Amino acid sequence: MVNTCGFIESAVQESLDAIGEALVENGRVIVTGCLGAKGDIVRETHPNVLAVTGPHALQEVMAAVHEHLPQPPDPFVDLVPPSFSSIGIKLTPKHYAYLKISEGCNHRCTFCIIPSLRGDLVSRPIGEVMQEAENLVKAGVKELLVISQDTSAYGVDLKYRTGFWGGRPLKTRMRDLAAALGELGAWVRLHYVYPYPHVDEVIPLMAEGKVLPYIDVPFQHASRRILKLMKRPASGEDNLERIKAWREICPDITIRSTFIAGFPGETESEFRELLDFLEAAELDRVGCFAYSPVDGARANELPGALEGEVREERRARLMQLQQKISARRLKRRVGKTLEVLVDKTVPGGAVGRSTGDAPEIDGVVHVESRGKLKPGDRLRVKVTKSDAHDLWGRVH
């Protein structure tokens, strides 16, 4: 089974390539996810796939699986009730897991087609989310990565109604959810947090050690005019002042963000404004995409579309600047002792992540140790060296 993304051109191509690789390796492939909702592109490119479905189509996927791979009767397994497995099937390593709290998005950002693929925001009941999180932690998960298309909006569609977890009332709100998750004893990492004013409420939880001092906030740009053209929520916020305030409350906070370079109509002056913002904000982790004219995105209709070479050149300039900022930020950690979660062992030590590193998208910590380590171990590591992305250190 290949789960696909259909958001930007590079993701579409990556998904199509993965389907091709699966066909070569296996020959029997079922395709699901966002790309399946974009017409016949999958069938036209790979006519030999067994089935194609859209996102969150569990019943359709399982029907295709049973059609093409009938389940042989098993008198022992058939007696196991469906609720036997309380955590479902995890595709991540045992020690961390993604916790999805909602599906869809109420915003209509002009560069984005996610609402047309996944619909408006639908928040999961807070009791259901907490029960899944509790089950994951009991099963050995040491880090919960909270995800959605818009984590800050959690509960808006439910009017923040009160749910229950273990007989205790909880409001369906991001801050209340984060606080409750923080009681489970695992690392709690917040992703895809739009910069609404109420986001400020979770920063004290980070300072108190209840959730990780890490926040993933997709600012996307710094120019007010470009943000309005993007129809970004909270486009009028003074984000530099907010970042300053967050760091005053929680000095150890790691701030990750993503940006788009070369948006239609972006002038060189407005791009420079974005670079100046990065210099002033000194964000810890940054990703940048050259604007991609996704089919169906309203931004494609805006005047002033930039050539692909210009978009890519601006992306490269931004990332070159951010590399210097990242190196500067990480160098400040040399000599400090950090908590590190081990992801894998290597001869002479391990590779892990600090509280400031999300898996696969951020850096790592290379740990020197003579002791026997295993994935999921938490270590105290004294940092001895850094570069623009990673840290090195010894078990303290």
Side-chain angles (χ1 to χ4, degrees):
M1 276 188 290
V2 178
N3 190 21
T4 60
C5 177
F7 184 24
I8 59 177
E9 289 179 356
S10 59
V12 170
Q13 190 56 54
E14 186 176 343
S15 295
L16 292 173
D17 290 347
I19 295 167
E21 291 170 12
L23 283 167
V24 170
E25 289 290 325
N26 183 290
R28 307 176 73 193
V29 176
I30 293 170
V31 177
T32 187
C34 290
L35 192 58
K38 296 185 71 173
D40 299 325
I41 185 172
V42 174
R43 290 281 189 194
E44 289 171 357
T45 310
H46 299 293
N48 293 327
V49 297
L50 299 178
V52 180
T53 80
H56 41 87
L58 176 62
Q59 297 304 320
E60 294 175 56
V61 170
M62 293 311 300
V65 169
H66 293 148
E67 177 185 352
H68 296 284
L69 188 67
Q71 182 178 0
D74 186 320
F76 298 102
V77 174
D78 291 348
L79 292 173
V80 177
S83 61
F84 182 79
S85 174
S86 61
I87 64 169
I89 299 172
K90 278 178 77 268
L91 300 180
T92 52
K94 183 180 178 181
H95 61 286
Y96 70 81
Y98 293 95
L99 183 66
K100 193 160 197 178
I101 63 172
S102 65
E103 186 67 78
C105 182
N106 287 343
H107 302 296
R108 297 297 183 264
C109 300
T110 57
F111 57 82
C112 182
I113 59 170
I114 284 177
S116 66
L117 297 174
R118 295 187 172 268
D120 288 337
L121 176 76
V122 178
S123 300
R124 293 179 61 196
I126 194 166
E128 179 183 299
V129 173
M130 287 302 305
Q131 189 60 60
E132 179 182 349
E134 187 175 14
N135 292 339
L136 287 166
V137 173
K138 286 179 179 177
V141 167
K142 302 294 174 56
E143 178 181 12
L144 296 167
L145 299 108
V146 178
I147 60 169
S148 65
Q149 274 81 48
D150 181 0
T151 297
S152 319
Y154 178 64
V156 167
D157 56 313
L158 302 177
K159 298 182 179 178
Y160 306 117
R161 74 181 177 210
T162 300
F164 291 88
W165 170 51
R168 166 182 154 195
L170 283 176
K171 286 276 190 183
T172 309
R173 290 170 50 91
M174 181 181 69
R175 192 258 175 219
D176 299 69
L177 174 65
L181 290 171
E183 298 174 15
L184 298 177
W187 280 7
V188 178
R189 192 180 300 277
L190 301 177
H191 284 281
Y192 312 120
V193 179
Y194 279 68
Y196 306 129
H198 72 265
V199 169
D200 297 350
E201 298 173 7
V202 302
I203 309 302
L205 297 178
M206 298 177 183
E208 295 163 12
K210 294 180 179 177
V211 300
L212 291 185
Y214 177 103
I215 192 164
D216 174 14
V217 186
F219 290 122
Q220 302 298 11
H221 214 281
S223 161
R224 294 276 179 99
R225 190 185 78 88
I226 295 296
L227 288 168
K228 286 180 180 177
L229 288 176
M230 290 178 170
K231 293 195 181 300
R232 290 292 289 167
S235 60
E237 293 292 317
D238 188 335
N239 289 321
L240 282 177
E241 284 300 314
R242 296 187 73 198
I243 290 168
K244 180 182 176 183
W246 292 348
R247 286 175 171 153
E248 286 175 353
I249 296 169
C250 183
D252 294 330
I253 191 171
T254 294
I255 304 173
R256 152 170 274 281
S257 192
T258 51
F259 297 90
I260 295 174
F263 189 78
E266 179 191 67
T267 64
E268 175 63 24
S269 174
E270 287 167 328
F271 178 66
R272 283 294 324 170
E273 186 178 347
L274 174 54
L275 297 183
D276 290 344
F277 172 84
L278 287 178
E279 284 277 22
E282 283 206 310
L283 302 177
D284 301 274
R285 302 293 191 185
V286 165
C288 182
F289 301 93
Y291 174 75
S292 177
V294 180
D295 287 344
R298 286 177 295 158
N300 298 336
E301 302 167 9
L302 294 172
L306 304 179
E307 294 293 332
E309 290 182 3
V310 175
R311 302 197 302 264
E312 180 55 34
E313 185 268 341
R314 289 182 180 177
R315 185 204 67 81
R317 281 164 60 194
L318 187 149
M319 291 309 297
Q320 186 176 31
L321 170 62
Q322 179 56 34
Q323 190 171 28
K324 295 176 183 177
I325 295 170
S326 177
R328 198 160 63 228
R329 298 284 299 175
L330 289 175
K331 191 172 184 179
R332 297 173 189 172
R333 299 191 179 187
V334 175
K336 294 185 177 180
T337 299
L338 307 177
E339 186 175 16
V340 171
L341 182 67
V342 172
D343 280 334
K344 66 178 181 180
T345 57
V346 295
V351 177
R353 292 174 291 107
S354 73
T355 60
D357 303 305
E360 300 185 346
I361 58 173
D362 293 328
V364 298
V365 182
H366 301 274
V367 181
E368 182 183 328
S369 174
R370 295 179 181 176
K372 190 174 181 181
L373 304 175
K374 64 182 184 301
D377 284 347
R378 287 190 194 173
L379 312 172
R380 300 289 291 172
V381 175
K382 186 168 184 178
V383 179
T384 58
K385 189 176 79 168
S386 68
D387 66 11
H389 305 288
D390 302 330
L391 298 171
W392 284 258
R394 299 187 185 92
V395 173
H396 189 55

